[in-house]
Amino acid sequence: MSQPAVQPEAIHLALPAAAWLLGLLVLQQCARLPSAAEYAGLLLAMAWLAAAGWRRLRARAFTPSALYLALAAALLAFTQAAWRSDARLSETLPEAWEGRDVLVLGRVASLPSAVQGLFGAPGWRFEFEVEEAFAGASRQDAALALPARLALAWYAQGDEAAPPRLSAGERWQLLLRLKRPHGLMNPHGFDTEFWLFERGLRASGVVRPSGDLRLSRAPWWSLNAWRSDLREALLRQVRNPSHAGILAALSLGDQTAISAADWSLFRVTGVSHLLSVSGLHVTMFAWAAQGLAGWLWRRSARLCLRWPAPNIARWAGVSAALAYALFSGWGVPAQRTVWMLLTLALLRSLGLRWPWPLCLLIAAAVVTVIDPWAVGQAGFWLSFAAVALLMASGTQQEKVAGWREHLRAGLRNQWVASCGLAPLSLLFFQQLSVVGLLANLLAIPLISFLVTPLALLGALVPGLWQLADGILALLLLYLRWLAAWPLAVWQLPVAPLWAQALGLLGGLMLVSPTPLRLRALGLGLALPMLWPAPQRPPPGEFELVVADIGQGTAVLLRTSAHQMLYDSGPSYGPEANAGQRVLLPLMFALGLNRLDLLMLSHRDSDHTGGAASVLNGLPVAGLSSSLEAGHPLLAGPVPPRRCEAGQTWQWDGVHFEVLHPQGAHYVQGLKSNAMSCVLRITSAAGRSALLTGDLEAQQEANLVQRSLARELRSEVMLVPHHGSKTSSSEAFLVAVAPRLAFVQAGYRNRFGHPAPAVLARYQAQGIEVLTSAACGAWRWRSDAPDGQCQRAQFKRYWHWQARPLTALQGPWQPALEAGAELGDLPSLPQ
């Protein structure tokens, strides 16, 4: 059958549409937004290019006009997105009001998710739309301008068993302490600040005790109120909390209801995309509604003569997609899919027979007109790439009849999606599920055609939730069986940019309908991305990666062939810690699949909170610590030993020496800080780094007294006890004489670290001080003159801007309650 003719002018729309996306991608890499003069220059250039393109278009010179119009489209995309970003960034919390009590009136704008604080205190996390705000604890105080949407946490405090139950759509008066958006910044890590920026959450904070008052319940017509009531009913009907959370995520878009253990299972088996309201679910729902509407419409000849069934079915599918997206919370992935389906349906209804790449480009351009920051999300590219791969392989045109042909087509589609999306998965997530093909073969039809529809219909017939629960239980058994396979998931380090580009091209060639020899070439192109060679220090040198983990300590050390971890960061709550959320992803991204040594300086939870996850997440050859006998971390299979002054070893020409504690300290009953393991690392060229744990002034004095000057002197030092007033004595600073000192402390932490008096001592000695809050993760190599701050190296216009660090002012004043450093948690999205 011959294909419909393609309008010639349609081809020339592809270049401007692609240029529009390119303009947005360029803005995504900018460290700052344009100035007023630069905006004027961009507008003038855009007007000239558009006029030149229009003149050539009128002269029927399509190719030159397309080039001019493409450049104009790129400048237009860049300029309008920059202007909108400027407007969003201008909506900010005044710096003077960080960490101070403010009274706000407004509405709960999302389904509250149940969380637990650092010490197990129950609480809620939710979004809040501000109606009024007051500069103090009472409505009699002056009005205060705050961002329109806030990300809040409300924990039980004092004698409270739990905070009041919240429901979406309710109006509340709340007493808050807020701070500007700030997240952890680590190499190849999740960008929390962009996640908050895209969603318009321009401040975060916690609810303070007293001052809370429910002003009104959600109105009866509130969609959010219906969603809250349905979630409560679902949690009552389905007794297994894990299954109830998954069903709530599929039907109501409440992804936070899925436990961390279940998310880990879904990532290993490659089905994470199915367990949230994603583009796939919305598309499948639209497809099913379109088929049903078409079948029903064709029952009436009169209706078919009046309005063609294909048009009715098409718009019924789009309407169903819109309804599902709204009911599930109007999440960003669902929004993108609705706009894509709407655009494609409109093009088809207008009778435009354009090639499928052009249709997808136009749909992507429409999506990014509405949400210009979508290009910064992995889901945007994965969604469009999946559709493009299926179209490019020709599978969308296959006519199948009979169950064998349907099975064959389904297997081919899954093969195309798995192989074609593998390079993108490696690019975004640095891992590939080896069992993903087998998992998705069963999970896609069960989740898409049974579990999700039953979860939605349960709103009308609650008994259907039980049926969905049973099917889900069988599927989870199958996924756990697959996850137990050896090498079920393939972790790879981040490849260089040239290897990533070749890998993407190779993935496309592998699934394209081309001769076998060309497909084999695609595999060859993908090899550099599949087997990258991570960079390591040369023999005799070492590298420190001081991770950004909030309030705590975690330092990764690498030589040419060995690696160790000094401390493991804090616990963020019962189901989240620095090992799971930061350190393991960081090590996998750097190509580290084992540790030769894990050293835990002392027992405090901000140093050992992630240790269990690290020990379970990859092979660890040895464990050194000052932990007391009987500590749970010493009971594992890794042979433990005490860290003790005088212990030394050599790795690849690099010298390691433990300076503290002494053997006698283990029987003196010292407090945990005083038992901190102090480690000095020295390169073959004599450049040293000193890691100090939470060493306090008395132990610093003892160390200075019993050590020779050369034994302490170091070029780089980790500031003792995060910059507490109890450490960093003047004599110790003189003895160590570091050129640079680094403070690992959370942004606006409740302890006030680093203390201004301590900073003054460092300033008096001429020692440069960096903090993880202002620097992010810090990388320093003994064969390089200076270190690299993650925030400076990968600065983007939406990132928090650090102020100069001085002894008199700094971003360290206490702001939040215990366990409530919301902006520093890398756990907002799963």
Side-chain angles (χ1 to χ4, degrees), residues 546 688-690 714-719 736-743 762 766-771 775 778-780 785-789:
V546 185
S688 296
L690 188 67
S714 301
E715 185 168 346
V716 170
M717 181 178 73
L718 193 67
V719 172
V736 179
R739 179 177 63 85
L740 187 144
F742 195 91
V743 181
Y762 280 90
I767 302 169
E768 181 183 1
V769 178
L770 296 176
T771 69
C775 175
W778 185 64
R779 300 178 74 164
W780 182 81
D786 297 302
Q788 292 180 332
C789 282

PDB file of all heavy atoms in Angstrom, residues 546 688-690 714-719 736-743 762 766-771 775 778-780 785-789:
ATOM      1  N   VAL A 546      35.672  14.468  48.955  1.00  0.00           N
ATOM      2  CA  VAL A 546      34.943  14.798  50.180  1.00  0.00           C
ATOM      3  C   VAL A 546      33.488  14.983  49.783  1.00  0.00           C
ATOM      4  O   VAL A 546      33.113  15.998  49.187  1.00  0.00           O
ATOM      5  CB  VAL A 546      35.511  16.071  50.831  1.00  0.00           C
ATOM      6  CG1 VAL A 546      34.820  16.330  52.177  1.00  0.00           C
ATOM      7  CG2 VAL A 546      37.013  15.942  51.030  1.00  0.00           C
ATOM      8  N   SER A 688      50.526  15.903  51.899  1.00  0.00           N
ATOM      9  CA  SER A 688      49.751  15.155  52.888  1.00  0.00           C
ATOM     10  C   SER A 688      48.366  15.736  53.077  1.00  0.00           C
ATOM     11  O   SER A 688      48.111  16.920  52.820  1.00  0.00           O
ATOM     12  CB  SER A 688      50.469  15.145  54.242  1.00  0.00           C
ATOM     13  OG  SER A 688      51.693  14.457  54.149  1.00  0.00           O
ATOM     14  N   ALA A 689      47.464  14.867  53.568  1.00  0.00           N
ATOM     15  CA  ALA A 689      46.113  15.253  53.978  1.00  0.00           C
ATOM     16  C   ALA A 689      45.850  14.634  55.329  1.00  0.00           C
ATOM     17  O   ALA A 689      46.280  13.499  55.604  1.00  0.00           O
ATOM     18  CB  ALA A 689      45.082  14.795  52.954  1.00  0.00           C
ATOM     19  N   LEU A 690      45.136  15.358  56.201  1.00  0.00           N
ATOM     20  CA  LEU A 690      44.849  14.900  57.550  1.00  0.00           C
ATOM     21  C   LEU A 690      43.343  14.832  57.749  1.00  0.00           C
ATOM     22  O   LEU A 690      42.634  15.829  57.575  1.00  0.00           O
ATOM     23  CB  LEU A 690      45.470  15.860  58.578  1.00  0.00           C
ATOM     24  CG  LEU A 690      45.414  15.428  60.042  1.00  0.00           C
ATOM     25  CD1 LEU A 690      46.294  14.198  60.276  1.00  0.00           C
ATOM     26  CD2 LEU A 690      45.846  16.575  60.964  1.00  0.00           C
ATOM     27  N   SER A 714      50.333  19.069  57.314  1.00  0.00           N
ATOM     28  CA  SER A 714      49.593  18.581  56.151  1.00  0.00           C
ATOM     29  C   SER A 714      49.136  19.757  55.309  1.00  0.00           C
ATOM     30  O   SER A 714      48.836  20.846  55.830  1.00  0.00           O
ATOM     31  CB  SER A 714      48.372  17.753  56.581  1.00  0.00           C
ATOM     32  OG  SER A 714      48.762  16.648  57.363  1.00  0.00           O
ATOM     33  N   GLU A 715      49.063  19.530  54.017  1.00  0.00           N
ATOM     34  CA  GLU A 715      48.623  20.589  53.114  1.00  0.00           C
ATOM     35  C   GLU A 715      47.117  20.790  53.174  1.00  0.00           C
ATOM     36  O   GLU A 715      46.614  21.900  53.038  1.00  0.00           O
ATOM     37  CB  GLU A 715      49.053  20.264  51.684  1.00  0.00           C
ATOM     38  CG  GLU A 715      48.744  21.364  50.708  1.00  0.00           C
ATOM     39  CD  GLU A 715      49.430  21.159  49.373  1.00  0.00           C
ATOM     40  OE1 GLU A 715      50.345  20.320  49.295  1.00  0.00           O
ATOM     41  OE2 GLU A 715      49.037  21.835  48.401  1.00  0.00           O
ATOM     42  N   VAL A 716      46.397  19.704  53.415  1.00  0.00           N
ATOM     43  CA  VAL A 716      44.934  19.738  53.448  1.00  0.00           C
ATOM     44  C   VAL A 716      44.472  19.077  54.740  1.00  0.00           C
ATOM     45  O   VAL A 716      45.015  18.039  55.145  1.00  0.00           O
ATOM     46  CB  VAL A 716      44.343  19.007  52.228  1.00  0.00           C
ATOM     47  CG1 VAL A 716      42.843  18.820  52.380  1.00  0.00           C
ATOM     48  CG2 VAL A 716      44.651  19.765  50.947  1.00  0.00           C
ATOM     49  N   MET A 717      43.452  19.651  55.373  1.00  0.00           N
ATOM     50  CA  MET A 717      42.928  19.070  56.610  1.00  0.00           C
ATOM     51  C   MET A 717      41.404  19.118  56.600  1.00  0.00           C
ATOM     52  O   MET A 717      40.806  20.111  56.169  1.00  0.00           O
ATOM     53  CB  MET A 717      43.449  19.811  57.837  1.00  0.00           C
ATOM     54  CG  MET A 717      42.950  19.238  59.165  1.00  0.00           C
ATOM     55  SD  MET A 717      43.609  20.065  60.618  1.00  0.00           S
ATOM     56  CE  MET A 717      42.711  21.619  60.578  1.00  0.00           C
ATOM     57  N   LEU A 718      40.794  18.044  57.056  1.00  0.00           N
ATOM     58  CA  LEU A 718      39.362  18.037  57.314  1.00  0.00           C
ATOM     59  C   LEU A 718      39.152  18.660  58.688  1.00  0.00           C
ATOM     60  O   LEU A 718      39.684  18.164  59.691  1.00  0.00           O
ATOM     61  CB  LEU A 718      38.839  16.598  57.285  1.00  0.00           C
ATOM     62  CG  LEU A 718      37.319  16.418  57.233  1.00  0.00           C
ATOM     63  CD1 LEU A 718      36.777  16.916  55.896  1.00  0.00           C
ATOM     64  CD2 LEU A 718      36.953  14.953  57.424  1.00  0.00           C
ATOM     65  N   VAL A 719      38.411  19.746  58.755  1.00  0.00           N
ATOM     66  CA  VAL A 719      38.247  20.505  60.003  1.00  0.00           C
ATOM     67  C   VAL A 719      37.643  19.610  61.075  1.00  0.00           C
ATOM     68  O   VAL A 719      36.600  18.970  60.854  1.00  0.00           O
ATOM     69  CB  VAL A 719      37.358  21.738  59.761  1.00  0.00           C
ATOM     70  CG1 VAL A 719      37.005  22.422  61.080  1.00  0.00           C
ATOM     71  CG2 VAL A 719      38.057  22.706  58.825  1.00  0.00           C
ATOM     72  N   VAL A 736      49.631  21.704  62.489  1.00  0.00           N
ATOM     73  CA  VAL A 736      49.260  21.101  61.203  1.00  0.00           C
ATOM     74  C   VAL A 736      49.600  22.040  60.048  1.00  0.00           C
ATOM     75  O   VAL A 736      50.048  21.604  58.989  1.00  0.00           O
ATOM     76  CB  VAL A 736      47.763  20.740  61.188  1.00  0.00           C
ATOM     77  CG1 VAL A 736      47.365  20.145  59.838  1.00  0.00           C
ATOM     78  CG2 VAL A 736      47.439  19.766  62.309  1.00  0.00           C
ATOM     79  N   ALA A 737      49.368  23.333  60.235  1.00  0.00           N
ATOM     80  CA  ALA A 737      49.657  24.373  59.244  1.00  0.00           C
ATOM     81  C   ALA A 737      49.129  24.030  57.862  1.00  0.00           C
ATOM     82  O   ALA A 737      49.881  24.032  56.887  1.00  0.00           O
ATOM     83  CB  ALA A 737      51.174  24.629  59.187  1.00  0.00           C
ATOM     84  N   PRO A 738      47.843  23.718  57.748  1.00  0.00           N
ATOM     85  CA  PRO A 738      47.325  23.371  56.418  1.00  0.00           C
ATOM     86  C   PRO A 738      47.204  24.605  55.533  1.00  0.00           C
ATOM     87  O   PRO A 738      47.002  25.726  56.020  1.00  0.00           O
ATOM     88  CB  PRO A 738      45.947  22.785  56.724  1.00  0.00           C
ATOM     89  CG  PRO A 738      45.521  23.485  57.982  1.00  0.00           C
ATOM     90  CD  PRO A 738      46.783  23.698  58.779  1.00  0.00           C
ATOM     91  N   ARG A 739      47.337  24.419  54.243  1.00  0.00           N
ATOM     92  CA  ARG A 739      47.069  25.495  53.298  1.00  0.00           C
ATOM     93  C   ARG A 739      45.576  25.686  53.130  1.00  0.00           C
ATOM     94  O   ARG A 739      45.095  26.785  52.914  1.00  0.00           O
ATOM     95  CB  ARG A 739      47.724  25.179  51.954  1.00  0.00           C
ATOM     96  CG  ARG A 739      47.495  26.237  50.880  1.00  0.00           C
ATOM     97  CD  ARG A 739      48.231  25.882  49.597  1.00  0.00           C
ATOM     98  NE  ARG A 739      47.739  24.639  49.025  1.00  0.00           N
ATOM     99  CZ  ARG A 739      46.671  24.554  48.217  1.00  0.00           C
ATOM    100  NH1 ARG A 739      45.985  25.636  47.910  1.00  0.00           N
ATOM    101  NH2 ARG A 739      46.301  23.380  47.727  1.00  0.00           N
ATOM    102  N   LEU A 740      44.821  24.581  53.249  1.00  0.00           N
ATOM    103  CA  LEU A 740      43.378  24.625  53.050  1.00  0.00           C
ATOM    104  C   LEU A 740      42.699  23.662  54.023  1.00  0.00           C
ATOM    105  O   LEU A 740      43.197  22.546  54.247  1.00  0.00           O
ATOM    106  CB  LEU A 740      43.022  24.251  51.612  1.00  0.00           C
ATOM    107  CG  LEU A 740      41.558  24.415  51.198  1.00  0.00           C
ATOM    108  CD1 LEU A 740      41.473  24.877  49.743  1.00  0.00           C
ATOM    109  CD2 LEU A 740      40.789  23.102  51.345  1.00  0.00           C
ATOM    110  N   ALA A 741      41.593  24.104  54.593  1.00  0.00           N
ATOM    111  CA  ALA A 741      40.805  23.269  55.506  1.00  0.00           C
ATOM    112  C   ALA A 741      39.379  23.173  54.977  1.00  0.00           C
ATOM    113  O   ALA A 741      38.830  24.163  54.477  1.00  0.00           O
ATOM    114  CB  ALA A 741      40.806  23.856  56.912  1.00  0.00           C
ATOM    115  N   PHE A 742      38.789  21.988  55.103  1.00  0.00           N
ATOM    116  CA  PHE A 742      37.446  21.759  54.562  1.00  0.00           C
ATOM    117  C   PHE A 742      36.501  21.363  55.683  1.00  0.00           C
ATOM    118  O   PHE A 742      36.807  20.498  56.515  1.00  0.00           O
ATOM    119  CB  PHE A 742      37.480  20.648  53.502  1.00  0.00           C
ATOM    120  CG  PHE A 742      36.230  20.597  52.662  1.00  0.00           C
ATOM    121  CD1 PHE A 742      36.143  21.319  51.484  1.00  0.00           C
ATOM    122  CD2 PHE A 742      35.130  19.841  53.052  1.00  0.00           C
ATOM    123  CE1 PHE A 742      35.000  21.292  50.708  1.00  0.00           C
ATOM    124  CE2 PHE A 742      33.982  19.802  52.294  1.00  0.00           C
ATOM    125  CZ  PHE A 742      33.909  20.530  51.112  1.00  0.00           C
ATOM    126  N   VAL A 743      35.330  22.013  55.712  1.00  0.00           N
ATOM    127  CA  VAL A 743      34.304  21.750  56.718  1.00  0.00           C
ATOM    128  C   VAL A 743      33.180  20.935  56.080  1.00  0.00           C
ATOM    129  O   VAL A 743      32.542  21.396  55.131  1.00  0.00           O
ATOM    130  CB  VAL A 743      33.728  23.063  57.284  1.00  0.00           C
ATOM    131  CG1 VAL A 743      32.671  22.755  58.350  1.00  0.00           C
ATOM    132  CG2 VAL A 743      34.826  23.929  57.869  1.00  0.00           C
ATOM    133  N   TYR A 762      41.050  30.177  62.090  1.00  0.00           N
ATOM    134  CA  TYR A 762      41.621  29.786  60.795  1.00  0.00           C
ATOM    135  C   TYR A 762      42.049  31.024  60.011  1.00  0.00           C
ATOM    136  O   TYR A 762      43.105  31.040  59.361  1.00  0.00           O
ATOM    137  CB  TYR A 762      40.596  28.979  59.997  1.00  0.00           C
ATOM    138  CG  TYR A 762      40.493  27.535  60.421  1.00  0.00           C
ATOM    139  CD1 TYR A 762      39.599  27.148  61.417  1.00  0.00           C
ATOM    140  CD2 TYR A 762      41.293  26.557  59.839  1.00  0.00           C
ATOM    141  CE1 TYR A 762      39.505  25.838  61.819  1.00  0.00           C
ATOM    142  CE2 TYR A 762      41.204  25.233  60.240  1.00  0.00           C
ATOM    143  CZ  TYR A 762      40.307  24.872  61.233  1.00  0.00           C
ATOM    144  OH  TYR A 762      40.229  23.557  61.635  1.00  0.00           O
ATOM    145  N   GLY A 766      45.814  32.384  58.430  1.00  0.00           N
ATOM    146  CA  GLY A 766      45.940  32.468  56.980  1.00  0.00           C
ATOM    147  C   GLY A 766      45.543  31.192  56.257  1.00  0.00           C
ATOM    148  O   GLY A 766      46.034  30.919  55.152  1.00  0.00           O
ATOM    149  N   ILE A 767      44.653  30.416  56.861  1.00  0.00           N
ATOM    150  CA  ILE A 767      44.235  29.136  56.281  1.00  0.00           C
ATOM    151  C   ILE A 767      42.919  29.337  55.532  1.00  0.00           C
ATOM    152  O   ILE A 767      41.940  29.839  56.094  1.00  0.00           O
ATOM    153  CB  ILE A 767      44.049  28.072  57.391  1.00  0.00           C
ATOM    154  CG1 ILE A 767      45.341  27.885  58.176  1.00  0.00           C
ATOM    155  CG2 ILE A 767      43.572  26.753  56.788  1.00  0.00           C
ATOM    156  CD1 ILE A 767      45.176  27.068  59.450  1.00  0.00           C
ATOM    157  N   GLU A 768      42.884  28.961  54.287  1.00  0.00           N
ATOM    158  CA  GLU A 768      41.658  29.047  53.497  1.00  0.00           C
ATOM    159  C   GLU A 768      40.670  27.977  53.970  1.00  0.00           C
ATOM    160  O   GLU A 768      41.063  26.812  54.167  1.00  0.00           O
ATOM    161  CB  GLU A 768      41.952  28.853  52.012  1.00  0.00           C
ATOM    162  CG  GLU A 768      40.723  28.945  51.121  1.00  0.00           C
ATOM    163  CD  GLU A 768      41.030  28.674  49.656  1.00  0.00           C
ATOM    164  OE1 GLU A 768      42.204  28.396  49.335  1.00  0.00           O
ATOM    165  OE2 GLU A 768      40.082  28.716  48.836  1.00  0.00           O
ATOM    166  N   VAL A 769      39.404  28.347  54.129  1.00  0.00           N
ATOM    167  CA  VAL A 769      38.379  27.421  54.606  1.00  0.00           C
ATOM    168  C   VAL A 769      37.287  27.289  53.551  1.00  0.00           C
ATOM    169  O   VAL A 769      36.760  28.284  53.050  1.00  0.00           O
ATOM    170  CB  VAL A 769      37.762  27.892  55.940  1.00  0.00           C
ATOM    171  CG1 VAL A 769      36.656  26.939  56.385  1.00  0.00           C
ATOM    172  CG2 VAL A 769      38.833  27.995  57.018  1.00  0.00           C
ATOM    173  N   LEU A 770      36.944  26.048  53.213  1.00  0.00           N
ATOM    174  CA  LEU A 770      35.810  25.741  52.344  1.00  0.00           C
ATOM    175  C   LEU A 770      34.793  24.942  53.141  1.00  0.00           C
ATOM    176  O   LEU A 770      35.166  24.180  54.045  1.00  0.00           O
ATOM    177  CB  LEU A 770      36.256  24.923  51.124  1.00  0.00           C
ATOM    178  CG  LEU A 770      37.224  25.585  50.143  1.00  0.00           C
ATOM    179  CD1 LEU A 770      37.627  24.588  49.068  1.00  0.00           C
ATOM    180  CD2 LEU A 770      36.595  26.808  49.515  1.00  0.00           C
ATOM    181  N   THR A 771      33.505  25.121  52.806  1.00  0.00           N
ATOM    182  CA  THR A 771      32.451  24.345  53.445  1.00  0.00           C
ATOM    183  C   THR A 771      31.691  23.552  52.391  1.00  0.00           C
ATOM    184  O   THR A 771      31.541  24.000  51.249  1.00  0.00           O
ATOM    185  CB  THR A 771      31.461  25.251  54.201  1.00  0.00           C
ATOM    186  OG1 THR A 771      30.710  26.002  53.256  1.00  0.00           O
ATOM    187  CG2 THR A 771      32.186  26.185  55.157  1.00  0.00           C
ATOM    188  N   CYS A 775      30.437  24.650  48.754  1.00  0.00           N
ATOM    189  CA  CYS A 775      31.295  24.047  47.731  1.00  0.00           C
ATOM    190  C   CYS A 775      30.659  22.828  47.093  1.00  0.00           C
ATOM    191  O   CYS A 775      30.924  22.508  45.936  1.00  0.00           O
ATOM    192  CB  CYS A 775      32.633  23.660  48.370  1.00  0.00           C
ATOM    193  SG  CYS A 775      33.795  22.773  47.323  1.00  0.00           S
ATOM    194  N   TRP A 778      33.961  18.055  47.198  1.00  0.00           N
ATOM    195  CA  TRP A 778      35.269  18.645  46.893  1.00  0.00           C
ATOM    196  C   TRP A 778      36.239  17.537  46.525  1.00  0.00           C
ATOM    197  O   TRP A 778      36.354  16.536  47.247  1.00  0.00           O
ATOM    198  CB  TRP A 778      35.776  19.429  48.096  1.00  0.00           C
ATOM    199  CG  TRP A 778      37.060  20.169  47.852  1.00  0.00           C
ATOM    200  CD1 TRP A 778      37.268  21.178  46.978  1.00  0.00           C
ATOM    201  CD2 TRP A 778      38.306  19.951  48.532  1.00  0.00           C
ATOM    202  NE1 TRP A 778      38.564  21.628  47.052  1.00  0.00           N
ATOM    203  CE2 TRP A 778      39.222  20.887  48.001  1.00  0.00           C
ATOM    204  CE3 TRP A 778      38.732  19.076  49.529  1.00  0.00           C
ATOM    205  CZ2 TRP A 778      40.549  20.964  48.434  1.00  0.00           C
ATOM    206  CZ3 TRP A 778      40.038  19.146  49.965  1.00  0.00           C
ATOM    207  CH2 TRP A 778      40.942  20.083  49.426  1.00  0.00           C
ATOM    208  N   ARG A 779      36.908  17.708  45.377  1.00  0.00           N
ATOM    209  CA  ARG A 779      37.894  16.727  44.914  1.00  0.00           C
ATOM    210  C   ARG A 779      39.275  17.362  44.931  1.00  0.00           C
ATOM    211  O   ARG A 779      39.470  18.461  44.411  1.00  0.00           O
ATOM    212  CB  ARG A 779      37.546  16.243  43.503  1.00  0.00           C
ATOM    213  CG  ARG A 779      36.192  15.578  43.419  1.00  0.00           C
ATOM    214  CD  ARG A 779      35.840  15.142  42.012  1.00  0.00           C
ATOM    215  NE  ARG A 779      36.595  13.967  41.607  1.00  0.00           N
ATOM    216  CZ  ARG A 779      36.265  13.208  40.558  1.00  0.00           C
ATOM    217  NH1 ARG A 779      35.203  13.509  39.826  1.00  0.00           N
ATOM    218  NH2 ARG A 779      36.994  12.160  40.251  1.00  0.00           N
ATOM    219  N   TRP A 780      40.231  16.640  45.549  1.00  0.00           N
ATOM    220  CA  TRP A 780      41.606  17.132  45.634  1.00  0.00           C
ATOM    221  C   TRP A 780      42.552  15.990  45.337  1.00  0.00           C
ATOM    222  O   TRP A 780      42.395  14.886  45.876  1.00  0.00           O
ATOM    223  CB  TRP A 780      41.876  17.690  47.025  1.00  0.00           C
ATOM    224  CG  TRP A 780      43.272  18.257  47.186  1.00  0.00           C
ATOM    225  CD1 TRP A 780      43.702  19.484  46.804  1.00  0.00           C
ATOM    226  CD2 TRP A 780      44.402  17.593  47.787  1.00  0.00           C
ATOM    227  NE1 TRP A 780      45.027  19.646  47.114  1.00  0.00           N
ATOM    228  CE2 TRP A 780      45.488  18.498  47.718  1.00  0.00           C
ATOM    229  CE3 TRP A 780      44.603  16.339  48.357  1.00  0.00           C
ATOM    230  CZ2 TRP A 780      46.753  18.181  48.213  1.00  0.00           C
ATOM    231  CZ3 TRP A 780      45.857  16.019  48.848  1.00  0.00           C
ATOM    232  CH2 TRP A 780      46.928  16.934  48.783  1.00  0.00           C
ATOM    233  N   PRO A 785      47.613  21.219  41.921  1.00  0.00           N
ATOM    234  CA  PRO A 785      47.791  22.318  42.886  1.00  0.00           C
ATOM    235  C   PRO A 785      46.540  22.640  43.694  1.00  0.00           C
ATOM    236  O   PRO A 785      46.630  22.996  44.864  1.00  0.00           O
ATOM    237  CB  PRO A 785      48.198  23.502  41.990  1.00  0.00           C
ATOM    238  CG  PRO A 785      47.679  23.158  40.631  1.00  0.00           C
ATOM    239  CD  PRO A 785      47.737  21.664  40.534  1.00  0.00           C
ATOM    240  N   ASP A 786      45.369  22.558  43.077  1.00  0.00           N
ATOM    241  CA  ASP A 786      44.145  22.976  43.761  1.00  0.00           C
ATOM    242  C   ASP A 786      43.065  21.912  43.616  1.00  0.00           C
ATOM    243  O   ASP A 786      43.089  21.079  42.703  1.00  0.00           O
ATOM    244  CB  ASP A 786      43.635  24.303  43.189  1.00  0.00           C
ATOM    245  CG  ASP A 786      44.624  25.437  43.415  1.00  0.00           C
ATOM    246  OD1 ASP A 786      44.959  25.693  44.581  1.00  0.00           O
ATOM    247  OD2 ASP A 786      45.056  26.042  42.419  1.00  0.00           O
ATOM    248  N   GLY A 787      42.080  21.988  44.518  1.00  0.00           N
ATOM    249  CA  GLY A 787      40.930  21.096  44.435  1.00  0.00           C
ATOM    250  C   GLY A 787      39.829  21.695  43.583  1.00  0.00           C
ATOM    251  O   GLY A 787      39.923  22.831  43.098  1.00  0.00           O
ATOM    252  N   GLN A 788      38.767  20.937  43.424  1.00  0.00           N
ATOM    253  CA  GLN A 788      37.639  21.366  42.610  1.00  0.00           C
ATOM    254  C   GLN A 788      36.358  21.270  43.419  1.00  0.00           C
ATOM    255  O   GLN A 788      36.045  20.209  43.971  1.00  0.00           O
ATOM    256  CB  GLN A 788      37.502  20.496  41.359  1.00  0.00           C
ATOM    257  CG  GLN A 788      38.632  20.666  40.357  1.00  0.00           C
ATOM    258  CD  GLN A 788      38.445  19.781  39.151  1.00  0.00           C
ATOM    259  OE1 GLN A 788      37.834  18.713  39.238  1.00  0.00           O
ATOM    260  NE2 GLN A 788      38.964  20.201  38.014  1.00  0.00           N
ATOM    261  N   CYS A 789      35.620  22.379  43.495  1.00  0.00           N
ATOM    262  CA  CYS A 789      34.305  22.382  44.118  1.00  0.00           C
ATOM    263  C   CYS A 789      33.255  21.993  43.083  1.00  0.00           C
ATOM    264  O   CYS A 789      33.245  22.532  41.967  1.00  0.00           O
ATOM    265  CB  CYS A 789      33.970  23.766  44.663  1.00  0.00           C
ATOM    266  SG  CYS A 789      34.773  24.175  46.217  1.00  0.00           S
TER     267      CYS A 789
END
